[in-house]
Amino acid sequence: MAELPSVVLKDPSSPLTATYVPSAGMICTSLSDDGVELLGQRRGLAAYLSDAKTMGIPILYPWANRLGANGYDVDGGAVTLTPGVGGVRTDANDLPIHGVLSAYPGWVITEQSENRLTAELDFGSRPALLAVFPFPHVVTLDATLADRVLIVTTTVTPTTAVSVPLCYGFHPYFTIPGVPRSEWTLQTPRLRRLLVDEQGIPTGDFEVWPAFSESLGNKIFDDGFDEVSPGAIFTLAGGDRRLDVVMDQGYPAAQIFAPATDDLIAIEPMAAPTNALRAGGYRSAQPGQPDVAVFTVRVA
């Protein structure tokens, strides 16, 4: 497989770099601090391209996590999703998962400098994408690296009189090299933990999740949350390293994923909880009013 062109952003004030591959779904494949890799590489970019096996920081669009069935209602009609068609992929329970833009090659770079990259994707010009998400719009992804902070800004701009449901998210995998997973510390603010059924779909019930600060130890997470306040900070720390994930705006939900089989943890910004495209409870980008969402990763 030929190597795809990448863009390496350089922080003007530190040895921090971030690497993006626009033609592979605008995925961030690396966040490196003076050569120390801070993103979970998992199976690597090749597996993301061939089998949508996530790594680094991929965008999950237009829905994050999974849907409860192969379809959803919209404006009195219904959209049917067919696995393997239009980028639809399924989990072990044959439920659609992580949207349709895994490794999608159609992103167009609109701005690039030493520490900033902006690319956009016009859904309205892609019939295969509109078939699974019939809301014409342009999604713009901007990544800026400065002062040891990666700022990721996503803008959704409707291109017709139809509003656009916002149910997307990101799946950043973080790691702290040289420090055992058991010694990592996870901190979260007070949240609501969403209870799920056996397929991982929220049931509508929830429980209070008090502010959390504990050693990861042998804990396993695959938990969804809402009531994430603007500016909420999630922190992973270990040794002399600290990573803050800040939900600056537009991410009222989150998922924390820490498997037992890999030395990484995902702290996922989500524009809406799992299955919101079917269950409701999402906001929409309105015609003439682009929606802007921002999360940042601070490296200390």
Side-chain angles (χ1 to χ4, degrees):
M1 182 179 65
E3 185 174 348
L4 297 177
S6 60
V7 176
V8 179
L9 306 181
K10 298 179 180 179
D11 181 356
S13 63
S14 80
L16 195 66
T17 62
T19 303
Y20 277 82
V21 184
S23 58
M26 264 300 280
I27 187 172
C28 180
T29 58
S30 173
L31 184 63
S32 176
D33 188 13
D34 200 17
V36 177
E37 181 58 62
L38 302 175
L39 296 185
Q41 298 298 300
R42 307 191 81 206
R43 301 169 185 85
L45 182 61
Y48 183 60
L49 290 166
S50 62
D51 299 310
K53 300 296 185 182
T54 48
M55 55 85 66
I57 308 178
I59 186 171
L60 314 179
Y61 198 95
W63 65 85
N65 217 305
R66 54 185 54 81
L67 299 179
N70 285 307
Y72 58 94
D73 296 332
V74 53
D75 294 335
V79 176
T80 299
L81 303 175
T82 303
V85 177
V88 176
R89 296 180 181 271
T90 55
D91 67 4
N93 293 308
D94 293 324
L95 297 179
I97 191 167
H98 293 344
V100 298
L101 293 187
S102 294
Y104 194 79
W107 291 85
V108 176
I109 296 175
T110 58
E111 183 174 341
Q112 183 178 341
S113 67
E114 185 176 33
N115 72 321
R116 184 178 182 187
L117 175 66
T118 307
E120 66 180 31
L121 177 63
D122 184 357
F123 250 68
S125 67
R126 310 274 175 161
L129 295 181
L130 283 177
V132 297
F133 193 66
F135 308 94
H137 68 284
V138 172
V139 56
T140 304
L141 185 55
D142 180 280
T144 302
L145 193 63
D147 300 321
R148 299 188 64 79
V149 177
L150 175 64
I151 306 167
V152 180
T153 303
T154 306
T155 304
V156 176
T157 305
T159 52
T160 67
V162 178
S163 59
V164 182
L166 301 170
C167 300
Y168 68 90
F170 289 82
H171 205 315
Y173 292 96
F174 299 107
T175 187
I176 301 180
V179 181
R181 177 193 187 277
S182 61
E183 296 178 12
W184 299 354
T185 298
L186 174 66
Q187 299 177 22
T188 78
R190 180 190 183 280
L191 305 163
R192 285 201 320 184
R193 178 174 175 267
L194 306 179
L195 304 184
V196 298
D197 63 20
E198 65 279 359
Q199 294 183 316
I201 303 300
T203 62
D205 295 325
F206 60 87
E207 62 186 18
V208 173
W209 177 273
F212 181 91
S213 180
E214 293 184 14
S215 171
L216 196 56
N218 60 0
K219 298 180 181 69
I220 299 171
F221 289 95
D222 193 2
D223 298 271
F225 304 90
D226 67 2
E227 294 194 347
V228 179
S229 301
I233 301 173
F234 297 70
T235 298
L236 178 67
D240 60 356
R241 295 193 181 274
R242 175 188 174 105
L243 301 172
D244 291 330
V245 181
V246 186
M247 311 296 188
D248 298 276
Q249 68 180 64
Y251 294 109
Q255 186 89 7
I256 296 177
F257 175 64
T261 55
D262 209 345
D263 289 344
L264 53 78
I265 185 168
I267 301 171
E268 308 170 37
M270 296 172 65
T274 294
N275 199 42
L277 192 55
R278 285 180 48 81
Y282 54 78
R283 72 183 188 279
S284 297
Q286 302 298 321
Q289 302 176 38
D291 182 272
V292 180
V294 183
F295 77 91
T296 55
V297 181
R298 299 193 304 227
V299 180

